[in-house]
Amino acid sequence: MNALKEQRVATLRDDDAVISILAVDNPSMFSAVTDGFDLLLLVVTDEDQRTNQQYHYIKDNCRIQERWLSISELSRLIVHGEHRNLIYWILKGEILLDKNTYLEGLRHRMLEFPPDMREHKLLIEFARFLRRYLDSKEYVLYDHLLDAYNDILEALHHWARIVIIEAGIHPEITVWRQVKNINPGVYKLYEELTLSNETLKQRVQLVLLACEFSVMSKMERCCKPLLDVLSSREEAWSLQELQQIDKLSDIQFELPLILNKLVKKSLTKEIIYTVDEQVSTFEIRYLNS
């Protein structure tokens, strides 16, 4: 296996676009960490047009998956937490090549989990939680119980990730194992939802109630990056202006939902601007309370 790694590094070393190469050995025959391959090679490039390229090949009876990611895409995936194996790869993988110590620095930053990264991830997870939570509430009203169950389970999963991030830890693949040690109360809710003998509707309503009292109290904390933007100037912000802010780009589709909730919780104020008096058109803008 080591010879294979050395050969691939020797091939790519002179490619100016290649910044780093990381290797992850398959921990077990049943593991999905490497998508079932014997070896995963993560190639980090500074060329966006070469990102998300994947190659599957066999060499010396070793099944290899090679994935290329640009620096910008890698950063985006880490913040979003969409690819849960990625954290494992970066923290546990073997660094084979690292120009300018890019991966070493990234690994150190992830282990340190600085406040700005933590706040960004909290905002994303809260946005996802809020959407699922509200969808589940609506489904319950119309007795679409399976859909309500599916959404509240997803909302609970995002709540778990919020709890983990608040503890200063990156959510891993096994989120519920992490939560059990960090917040047994949230883990207990997960058990109540999935294993209780109560009716499906009762289980969903129980978690919805818990979400209303517990997670909604975290709104101000989780929405700090957005509230900081709103308070950064005296003039109220339009939705279009907020959606163009780089630090809010990851939640731009959920911004209307979040702003509406912030207003209802009196954490943000609506300011009405006259757009066209003749047709009685008024624009809603937002200002930190």
Side-chain angles (χ1 to χ4, degrees):
M1 190 78 78
N2 287 335
L4 289 175
K5 297 173 186 176
E6 291 171 5
Q7 290 172 16
R8 193 59 183 140
V9 170
T11 303
L12 296 174
R13 189 185 300 276
D14 295 329
D15 188 332
D16 293 337
V18 174
I19 303 300
S20 305
I21 302 174
L22 185 79
V24 182
D25 296 322
N26 191 351
S28 75
M29 63 182 294
F30 302 109
S31 176
V33 168
T34 59
D35 297 331
F37 287 81
D38 301 318
L39 174 66
L40 173 109
L41 293 174
L42 178 65
V43 182
V44 182
T45 174
D46 62 1
E47 293 184 357
D48 287 339
Q49 63 269 28
R50 298 175 73 177
T51 196
N52 289 320
Q53 294 180 349
Q54 295 186 40
Y55 307 97
H56 294 171
Y57 52 93
I58 297 175
K59 188 172 178 61
D60 298 338
N61 294 320
C62 179
R63 299 175 71 253
I64 302 169
Q65 176 177 199
E66 186 175 304
R67 301 179 68 123
W68 288 58
L69 287 175
S70 67
I71 291 175
S72 58
E73 179 65 4
L74 186 58
S75 299
R76 189 190 73 81
L77 289 172
I78 290 171
V79 170
H80 273 256
E82 294 171 349
H83 198 303
R84 297 174 195 169
N85 288 335
L86 188 61
I87 303 297
Y88 178 92
W89 297 348
I90 294 171
L91 295 181
K92 306 293 185 181
E94 177 188 2
I95 299 176
L96 305 178
L97 176 68
D98 202 17
K99 297 176 183 177
N100 302 319
T101 64
Y102 168 75
L103 269 182
E104 194 63 48
L106 179 62
R107 180 179 286 178
H108 176 75
R109 179 171 165 80
M110 289 179 64
L111 288 170
E112 188 182 47
F113 208 0
D116 60 331
M117 182 186 291
R118 200 178 309 172
E119 288 175 1
H120 198 159
K121 289 178 78 72
L122 278 175
L123 179 60
I124 292 171
E125 290 299 333
F126 184 81
R128 293 172 178 170
F129 159 81
L130 187 59
R131 173 65 68 185
R132 293 292 196 169
Y133 160 72
L134 293 175
D135 283 349
S136 183
K137 282 186 75 172
E138 183 176 5
Y139 284 136
V140 168
L141 288 176
Y142 296 102
D143 277 332
H144 300 315
L145 297 182
L146 289 177
D147 292 307
Y149 175 84
N150 179 65
D151 276 322
I152 199 60
L153 182 59
E154 284 293 323
L156 193 55
H157 184 87
H158 292 303
W159 183 359
R161 292 171 67 86
I162 288 170
V163 166
I164 295 167
I165 294 167
E166 285 181 324
I169 306 168
H170 283 278
E172 297 174 359
I173 303 169
T174 52
V175 164
W176 293 112
R177 179 183 60 81
Q178 286 181 285
V179 170
K180 189 174 184 178
N181 295 323
I182 296 170
N183 191 320
V186 176
Y187 184 82
K188 181 66 176 176
L189 273 176
Y190 172 68
E191 287 188 322
E192 289 287 337
L193 180 64
T194 56
L195 302 175
S196 171
N197 291 324
E198 300 287 345
T199 67
L200 186 61
K201 187 171 186 177
Q202 288 172 328
R203 283 183 275 160
V204 171
Q205 288 175 325
L206 170 68
V207 179
L208 283 172
L209 188 63
C211 288
E212 181 67 37
F213 283 99
S214 297
V215 185
M216 287 308 180
S217 67
K218 299 176 182 289
M219 179 177 286
E220 185 172 8
R221 168 77 179 92
C222 291
C223 293
K224 185 178 182 300
L226 172 56
L227 293 172
D228 286 346
V229 170
L230 290 172
S231 62
S232 65
R233 72 183 196 190
E234 294 184 3
E235 184 183 352
W237 294 78
S238 70
L239 175 63
Q240 289 75 19
E241 288 177 316
L242 292 170
Q243 289 177 326
Q244 291 171 8
I245 301 293
D246 285 342
K247 68 191 296 186
L248 303 179
S249 61
D250 294 318
I251 61 157
Q252 60 175 302
F253 295 112
E254 306 298 344
L255 259 177
L257 189 66
I258 297 173
L259 288 167
N260 184 49
K261 275 293 179 183
L262 286 172
V263 169
K264 289 182 177 178
K265 292 288 184 180
S266 299
L267 294 171
T268 298
K269 292 188 292 188
E270 287 184 346
I271 308 296
I272 306 302
Y273 278 71
T274 302
V275 177
D276 190 332
E277 290 185 353
Q278 293 183 344
V279 293
S280 299
T281 301
F282 305 95
E283 181 186 20
I284 301 173
R285 296 189 183 182
Y286 301 91
L287 191 65
N288 201 20
S289 294

